[in-house]
Amino acid sequence: MVRFAWSKLSWPRGARPTRTVPLTRHAASLGLRYGAPVLVATAAAAFVASSSSPVHLDAPEPPSSWPSTGPAPVVRGRRRHASTSTQDAEGRSNEDVASGQQKPPPQSRVVEGYSEVKDSTVEGIQSAWQTITSKISEAPQSVSSIGDAIVDYVVPDWAKMLPGFLRKLQDELSMSPGSLAEEIWYEANDPEIHPEITWDASVRVSNDLCAEEKRFLQNRRRFIRRALARYLDIPEGKIHPDDVPTIAMCGSGGGLRALVAGTSSYLSAHEEGLFDCVTYTAGVSGSCWLQTLYYSNISQRSHARIIRHLRNRLGVHIAFPPDALNLVASAPTNKYLLGGLVEKAKGIPDADFGLVDIYGVLLAARFLVPKGELSVDGFDFKISNQRRYTDDGSHPMPIYTAVRHEIPLAEQADMKDPVAAQVQAKKEAWFQWFEFTPYEFWCEELGAGIPTWSIGRQFQNGRTVWRENGLALPELRVPLLLGVWGSAFCATLSHYYREVHPVLQAIPGFGGIAAMIAERDEDLVKMHPIDPAAIPNYALGMRNFLPPTVPESIFQTKNFQLMDAGMSNNLPIYPLLRPGRDVDILIAFDASSDVRTDNWLKVADGYAKQRGIRGWPIGAGWPSEEESIEEIQQDLDRAQAETVEEAQEHLEQAQENDAAATKRGTKSKDLSYCNIWVGSREERTSEDEPPASKLVEEDWELMHSHAGIAVVYFPFLPNPKVAGVDPKTSDFMSTWNFVYSPEQIDSVVELARTNFQEGAERTKRTVRAVYERKKKLREEKEREERERRRRWKLRQGRLSGRRVGESEHGDQFS
């Protein structure tokens, strides 16, 4: 049997087992890189062939004749003051309070399970340790229906070491007097430490940007105006505020590869002066980790400091027992790293825990603890604290992303045939995008969100559900969110298969299995071998206040099960197209595992069409490898020759054209290091599909009055200027690799910086062209307004403030 890539990474040095079956050199190299996912997909094939019952996420309880999905009962709540929910929801909750259904809670920090005085009414209360470990121990059972063999292959090896890891934490996570858990729980009920536990929160139902983000935009424009003047070498006094383009910068998913490469790309943009002109940054997976580090005190808002920090912290696997245990089980780091786990365990009845929660804690132990390990800053552990750097507009606003996999089984609940209902549900499944900012946790499909500082508490009818002591839980900690944002191992079996499809074709004997898996992809795409993380559902009881398109399951599940947004799109494009953000230029750094085949820009076409977003460049991204029949026929006609000499001439001409296109970076089957497209805002009178956007070759193409969003795309490609580094073939750049040596980090940094320099000048020209276009449109609008006013005055018989014929001396008859 071939060991996984995870096995290679998670064993202590010198203790890694060797292979027992030799393979060819090529297959062995690929096996090291993709080992676990390959076996996942292979084992899944056997299961799919014999089972038709996928694992459904967030599904409500079906009819009694169906297998139960186990929804949790909904708890009704109250709140003390109205804030931002709808008036109808407010009235309903006020009626509940007036009717005496829930008594006002006492204002006290002492809660069940904490007081040292034993209360007869709280006998049987579990310790934080018991709650967490019991849930984690149940996690494998949640996927037992797909077979123990699959679970063995899917679960990463660092998770298999959890029993020893958890035993070390048992004493500290008990609620015995003087334990760490007792201290954490006491502080969780202290308003001086966590003031948000006394703040009222309600669900904001609106598609508009929240008030805090609107204020940020106003403040940010002042900083960007000065930065744009420096970047474009224009006197600041000549730049009109309305001419400043809104620039968004985003990074892709891809684990540590995306984190290191993205940091290097952002650093290069910062050195050029471009990053200071950015309004928004957005991330998926590893790019979310990048944003978290940038807004921490570890980096001091310096990408160069992040790189130095990573060189010190990524040389050991995140779950390497000695290092991980020292940080998670020792003061002072343990309180910050474990605080979210204890608060979730003690504050939410029947809280769900799984591998994602532990994974997030391990990530935080690597990322949020500096080299000295003692200078941990508690402010780095809440996303809402990042507004310290955005409220005044001095830094871009970060957007973090996650998705929920909606499998709408409830919509088929009235169908008599359960099998037919499940088949229908498979066809209608989709991903719902959630965004986290320092201000709001929001979902576009729901058209609703809550303040970021209220994530982790329970809601009912749009209102906070206060706990028995009249307080709410503190904001959900960053360690748990790091796990959510980067939980690529929560992928569906279909995603695992697509990740390793080339490997299945390369290893002898796997061709038939690959074909069988491909045939059953509709089943694999609904199966998650590892459960995603659970965050309390803030939409409970709001059926009458949310759009009718919201699926019924939203109102019947106590938690949102959120996972890595790369399951849907490995570039966080959708949040940046949200109305009100009005992005003019989108700069994307794509460090996906294979940028040539995963055309994430083109995936956004359907999103833009569905939501009627004008200006998106339809067809942007990597060109299709498949030529149309017409294109093939044209190529054949041009290649016709009557003599050998003519055929040789055609061949030489084709080779010259291909070499020239490659040198220019315009070869039809490939892209260059920096690629630019621009959309159109023209109104279409035809229902025909718009033509695919073509690469921008001249700056004037960006200056049309009807030009839309400009997309500047930097794919993470090998560069001959950086020898020996290829994101596609260098094993250490695998998404599943959790260890980078300082030398490997330096090589990734050098490649990303070199690639950025290839397109730095084109990017600056693009920003200049969009600025000039906005300036021209503003000036034309001002001229039209002046002309309109002049005509109006003439119609009123006024000129220079007087009526025509008026004179201070009167007329001849006066």
Side-chain angles (χ1 to χ4, degrees):
M1 189 179 81
V2 181
R3 298 284 182 185
F4 312 157
W6 277 320
S7 296
K8 170 188 174 184
L9 300 172
S10 59
W11 284 88
R13 297 170 184 170
R16 180 170 61 88
T18 57
R19 300 173 183 272
T20 57
V21 179
L23 297 175
T24 64
R25 181 176 182 181
H26 177 65
S29 175
L30 294 175
L32 278 174
R33 186 179 182 197
Y34 296 106
V38 170
L39 296 177
V40 169
T42 305
F47 162 70
V48 168
S50 60
S51 173
S52 61
S53 177
V55 176
H56 297 281
L57 302 182
D58 288 348
E61 185 174 5
S64 57
S65 60
W66 295 22
S68 173
T69 55
V74 173
V75 180
R76 298 183 64 86
R78 64 175 292 279
R79 58 190 289 271
R80 294 166 291 182
H81 304 288
S83 53
T84 56
S85 64
T86 60
Q87 293 181 353
D88 291 340
E90 180 179 338
R92 178 186 299 180
S93 272
N94 289 338
E95 291 174 3
D96 291 344
V97 174
S99 63
Q101 294 183 8
Q102 181 174 344
K103 296 180 180 180
Q107 303 300 309
S108 170
R109 290 187 301 179
V110 180
V111 293
E112 290 184 345
Y114 168 73
S115 176
E116 295 182 6
V117 180
K118 194 164 185 178
D119 189 343
S120 60
T121 62
V122 296
E123 290 183 0
I125 293 292
Q126 287 186 321
S127 70
W129 157 254
Q130 291 171 319
T131 303
I132 295 172
T133 54
S134 64
K135 292 296 180 181
I136 293 177
S137 64
E138 292 170 3
Q141 298 176 11
S142 65
V143 293
S144 59
S145 60
I146 67 173
D148 293 336
I150 296 180
V151 176
D152 289 340
Y153 290 133
V154 173
V155 177
D157 276 350
W158 59 261
K160 296 176 182 178
M161 289 186 282
L162 284 180
F165 173 85
L166 294 175
R167 280 194 297 270
K168 295 288 187 180
L169 298 178
Q170 182 168 3
D171 293 338
E172 288 295 339
L173 288 181
S174 70
M175 290 300 292
S176 59
S179 66
L180 172 65
E182 184 196 44
E183 179 183 354
I184 291 174
W185 188 232
Y186 182 87
E187 293 185 356
N189 292 277
D190 188 345
E192 294 184 1
I193 298 177
H194 303 288
E196 71 270 18
I197 65 178
T198 64
W199 298 347
D200 200 4
S202 57
V203 179
R204 188 180 72 90
V205 182
S206 174
N207 286 315
D208 292 338
L209 303 180
C210 64
E212 293 84 356
E213 183 173 343
K214 291 179 180 178
R215 286 195 294 269
F216 156 78
L217 290 174
Q218 292 176 352
N219 295 331
R220 182 62 180 160
R221 289 190 185 100
R222 296 197 299 269
F223 285 86
I224 292 180
R225 184 185 178 189
R226 292 195 292 268
L228 188 69
R230 294 192 300 268
Y231 182 58
L232 298 181
D233 195 19
I234 301 174
E236 182 181 346
K238 292 186 177 182
I239 297 181
H240 192 282
D242 294 345
D243 302 340
V244 176
T246 300
I247 304 175
M249 188 172 287
C250 68
S252 71
L256 295 186
R257 179 186 64 251
L259 168 60
V260 178
T263 303
S264 179
S265 298
Y266 280 27
L267 172 61
S268 301
H270 212 154
E271 292 173 345
E272 288 287 326
L274 174 60
F275 188 82
D276 291 333
C277 302
V278 169
T279 301
Y280 294 103
T281 64
V284 169
S285 185
S287 296
C288 287
W289 301 343
L290 160 58
Q291 293 180 150
T292 304
L293 284 172
Y294 180 78
Y295 291 96
S296 71
N297 280 329
I298 292 176
S299 71
Q300 299 291 318
R301 272 63 60 208
S302 166
H303 295 105
R305 285 177 179 265
I306 296 178
I307 293 175
R308 289 198 295 270
H309 174 66
L310 296 178
R311 293 181 87 256
N312 291 325
R313 303 300 290 173
L314 297 187
V316 181
H317 193 280
I318 60 169
F320 183 59
D323 285 40
L325 290 176
N326 287 338
L327 294 173
V328 179
S330 304
T333 54
N334 54 1
K335 183 168 69 173
Y336 296 105
L337 297 173
L338 299 175
L341 283 176
V342 174
E343 291 164 4
K344 181 177 179 180
K346 297 300 299 177
I348 301 179
D350 302 322
D352 290 337
F353 288 92
L355 293 179
V356 177
D357 298 288
I358 300 299
Y359 174 60
V361 171
L362 295 173
L363 286 174
R366 272 284 162 268
F367 295 151
L368 297 182
V369 178
K371 184 178 181 180
E373 299 184 359
L374 296 179
S375 54
V376 180
D377 192 331
F379 280 95
D380 294 344
F381 287 76
K382 291 181 181 179
I383 292 298
S384 64
N385 286 338
Q386 295 177 2
R387 63 185 300 168
R388 294 181 297 171
Y389 312 115
T390 59
D391 277 351
D392 63 353
S394 59
H395 294 275
M397 191 189 86
I399 302 174
Y400 306 85
T401 60
V403 294
R404 174 181 178 269
H405 199 180
E406 169 62 34
I407 304 175
L409 192 59
E411 278 67 13
Q412 286 76 41
D414 57 345
M415 298 180 65
K416 296 181 179 179
D417 186 357
V419 176
Q422 291 184 357
V423 171
Q424 185 67 19
K426 292 176 184 178
K427 296 179 181 179
E428 298 176 0
W430 73 94
F431 288 98
Q432 298 167 332
W433 278 66
F434 287 76
E435 64 177 50
F436 305 74
T437 75
Y439 305 112
E440 194 169 41
F441 174 44
W442 192 80
C443 177
E444 180 186 21
E445 280 200 62
L446 304 184
I450 58 175
T452 299
W453 46 260
S454 66
I455 300 175
R457 67 176 63 180
Q458 294 179 305
F459 286 83
Q460 179 67 25
N461 299 329
R463 308 288 184 81
T464 293
V465 177
W466 299 99
R467 297 186 292 123
E468 289 81 356
N469 64 342
L471 302 173
L473 282 177
E475 176 185 340
L476 192 68
R477 294 299 194 284
V478 167
L480 301 186
L481 294 176
L482 289 174
V484 173
W485 299 329
S487 54
F489 54 83
C490 290
T492 64
L493 292 181
S494 175
H495 283 89
Y496 276 110
Y497 167 69
R498 284 183 299 184
E499 176 80 13
V500 299
H501 179 266
V503 183
L504 292 178
Q505 302 296 336
I507 298 178
F510 276 84
I513 295 178
M516 182 172 62
I517 293 176
E519 292 176 359
R520 302 303 300 273
D521 188 65
E522 287 188 359
D523 293 318
L524 297 178
V525 79
K526 305 302 182 298
M527 297 171 56
H528 295 264
I530 299 177
D531 287 337
I535 293 179
N537 177 4
Y538 60 75
L540 291 174
M542 299 193 66
R543 182 184 286 104
N544 296 329
F545 308 107
L546 299 184
T549 55
V550 174
E552 185 65 20
S553 62
I554 286 290
F555 308 112
Q556 298 185 24
T557 179
K558 66 176 183 177
N559 293 319
F560 293 135
Q561 288 188 304
L562 302 182
M563 67 192 83
D564 193 319
M567 303 299 101
S568 174
N569 191 325
N570 216 35
L571 285 173
I573 298 172
Y574 308 148
L576 298 175
L577 300 183
R578 180 178 170 183
R581 288 178 175 154
D582 303 330
V583 171
D584 297 304
I585 303 173
L586 191 156
I587 302 173
F589 296 102
D590 190 356
S592 300
S593 58
D594 194 340
V595 292
R596 286 185 173 87
T597 57
D598 296 335
N599 192 348
W600 300 115
L601 289 176
K602 189 173 180 58
V603 171
D605 289 356
Y607 177 92
K609 294 176 183 177
Q610 183 182 26
R611 287 160 175 77
I613 297 173
R614 294 173 56 191
W616 175 255
I618 301 296
W622 291 88
S624 173
E625 293 294 335
E626 297 180 1
E627 291 184 305
S628 65
I629 295 179
E630 292 78 8
E631 291 173 331
I632 294 175
Q633 186 60 49
Q634 291 174 2
D635 291 341
L636 290 175
D637 293 341
R638 286 193 295 267
Q640 293 296 325
E642 296 181 358
T643 65
V644 175
E645 292 77 8
E646 186 178 356
Q648 182 64 29
E649 182 181 350
H650 284 180
L651 177 60
E652 292 175 354
Q653 182 63 43
Q655 291 174 340
E656 291 177 2
N657 293 339
D658 184 71
T662 302
K663 184 177 181 180
R664 295 192 306 269
T666 58
K667 187 179 178 181
S668 61
K669 294 304 178 185
D670 210 348
L671 297 182
S672 63
Y673 300 108
C674 177
N675 312 273
I676 301 172
W677 298 268
V678 63
S680 175
R681 298 184 187 275
E682 280 187 310
E683 294 283 356
R684 295 185 59 83
T685 57
S686 171
E687 295 183 358
D688 296 338
E689 288 291 324
S693 300
K694 296 182 179 179
L695 284 170
V696 172
E697 297 181 357
E698 302 292 340
D699 295 344
W700 60 263
E701 299 178 61
L702 297 160
M703 300 179 66
H704 285 301
S705 59
H706 55 74
I709 300 172
V711 174
V712 183
Y713 178 65
F714 285 89
F716 194 45
L717 301 174
N719 193 314
K721 297 178 182 179
V722 184
V725 184
D726 188 337
K728 188 175 181 180
T729 60
S730 299
D731 288 339
F732 74 91
M733 287 197 200
S734 167
T735 303
W736 313 106
N737 180 23
F738 288 97
V739 179
Y740 274 58
S741 68
E743 294 74 22
Q744 291 170 339
I745 292 176
D746 291 342
S747 65
V748 174
V749 168
E750 184 182 2
L751 178 60
R753 288 172 69 83
T754 302
N755 286 356
F756 179 84
Q757 290 304 319
E758 299 281 354
E761 185 59 33
R762 286 200 66 198
T763 303
K764 180 178 290 189
R765 295 205 313 268
T766 298
V767 174
R768 180 65 181 255
V770 174
Y771 161 76
E772 295 291 350
R773 183 186 78 208
K774 291 174 70 72
K775 178 181 177 181
K776 179 181 178 182
L777 291 175
R778 176 186 56 81
E779 292 175 343
E780 290 179 354
K781 188 176 180 179
E782 289 176 349
R783 284 195 297 269
E784 292 174 357
E785 179 63 17
R786 288 195 296 268
E787 179 65 16
R788 186 191 66 80
R789 288 179 176 274
R790 190 186 70 83
R791 291 172 180 264
W792 179 84
K793 289 179 180 180
L794 287 176
R795 289 196 300 269
Q796 297 297 317
R798 294 182 179 274
L799 189 64
S800 299
R802 301 189 185 94
R803 285 187 177 277
V804 177
E806 282 185 350
S807 173
E808 60 182 0
H809 302 293
D811 54 30
Q812 67 269 28
F813 300 106
S814 299

